[in-house]
Amino acid sequence: MDSDEGARAVESSSGADLVVCERDMVVEPYEGMEFESEDAAKIFYDEYARQVGFVMRVMSCRRSERDGKILARRLGCNKEGHCVSIRGKFGPVRKPRASTREGCKAMIHVKYDKSGKWVITKFVKDHNHPLVVSPREARQTMDEKDKKIQELTTELRNKKRLCATYQEQLNAFMKMVEEHSEQLSKKVQNVVDNLKEFEPIEKELLSHR
């Protein structure tokens, strides 16, 4: 699809592109919606947030006790929760900054399924605050933590792609080594077979001496 048609492609569960239109249509999450990966779910919900008028926050996750892999993730609104003032003996420890937290409950919960897909198991649509439709204005409501999370998420995605590229190169190299070793083994075997053919001749020569 051309860029001037105002659409953006996101990876879907079928392996094809899920087209999320930026102008006329908003694809809303729903329970049972599938994605190929956790990153695909993040990209989709971030795009949905941008269209609807809020900023996505990457929230808590659940990991496997066996190998530490992420099994489930909550993605929500950056106005989720409340800012807790930290106080010491003689008043606030630091000067409080303006908080974007308003206790918003909007979120999706995605879980790794045994099928290999990531599935939305819970979707809370309603926000308890006005939505800012303008992407620029929405982005301006991000605090420093949100920006850092966005940056780290993008960096992680790029690192994963780079690792996948390196893995492909390593696999190709290992295949070449394996093929070369196989050819070398065949040559050695041919030499051994040739030597075996000369053994009877050598024995016959020795018997005539």
Side-chain angles (χ1 to χ4, degrees):
M1 182 175 289
D2 296 335
S3 59
D4 59 354
E5 291 180 4
R8 180 175 176 180
V10 176
E11 186 181 10
S12 73
S13 61
S14 63
D17 285 340
L18 175 64
V19 178
V20 181
C21 296
E22 295 183 350
R23 293 179 184 170
D24 302 325
M25 184 183 71
V26 175
V27 178
E28 189 172 277
Y30 58 88
E31 294 180 10
M33 191 175 193
E34 295 182 339
F35 302 92
E36 289 294 331
S37 64
E38 180 192 358
D39 279 344
K42 288 177 182 176
I43 292 170
F44 169 79
Y45 195 62
D46 185 55
E47 177 66 16
Y48 168 75
R50 191 191 66 76
Q51 292 177 315
V52 173
F54 68 97
V55 177
M56 180 188 77
R57 181 189 294 277
V58 179
M59 301 195 292
S60 60
C61 68
R62 181 170 65 85
R63 294 180 179 273
S64 167
E65 294 181 358
R66 184 180 62 182
D67 53 19
K69 288 184 179 179
I70 295 176
L71 300 178
R73 169 74 73 182
R74 280 200 315 136
L75 304 172
C77 175
N78 76 318
K79 295 183 183 292
E80 176 266 348
H82 294 279
C83 183
V84 179
S85 177
I86 303 173
R87 294 181 176 274
K89 266 186 179 180
F90 306 102
V93 174
R94 61 186 178 185
K95 184 179 178 180
R97 67 182 179 186
S99 173
T100 61
R101 305 296 186 94
E102 296 184 23
C104 183
K105 302 290 186 183
M107 54 82 75
I108 62 170
H109 182 269
V110 288
K111 180 181 178 182
Y112 181 74
D113 189 70
K114 61 183 179 181
S115 66
K117 309 290 185 182
W118 282 77
V119 183
I120 295 179
T121 58
K122 185 176 181 180
F123 170 47
V124 178
K125 177 181 178 180
D126 296 330
H127 295 256
N128 66 346
H129 56 88
L131 298 176
V132 184
V133 178
S134 170
R136 288 184 180 179
E137 291 179 19
R139 293 304 177 194
Q140 288 172 359
T141 64
M142 280 197 294
D143 58 22
E144 292 178 5
K145 184 178 178 181
D146 293 314
K147 290 180 181 178
K148 189 64 178 177
I149 289 172
Q150 293 280 349
E151 290 170 4
L152 290 174
T153 301
T154 302
E155 185 179 354
L156 178 61
R157 191 178 302 126
N158 292 336
K159 293 288 185 184
K160 284 183 176 179
R161 288 173 180 168
L162 191 60
C163 285
T165 301
Y166 288 154
Q167 185 65 47
E168 288 179 4
Q169 292 176 353
L170 179 60
N171 290 340
F173 176 74
M174 292 299 293
K175 187 177 180 181
M176 289 174 59
V177 171
E178 186 178 344
E179 290 175 353
H180 181 71
S181 298
E182 187 177 349
Q183 291 175 1
L184 187 61
S185 297
K186 288 180 179 178
K187 288 181 180 179
V188 171
Q189 187 62 45
N190 288 336
V191 171
V192 171
D193 291 342
N194 290 334
L195 288 173
K196 286 181 179 180
E197 289 179 5
F198 282 104
E199 281 182 3
I201 299 174
E202 185 180 5
K203 287 181 180 179
E204 187 175 349
L205 288 172
L206 289 173
S207 64
H208 287 292
R209 286 183 180 179

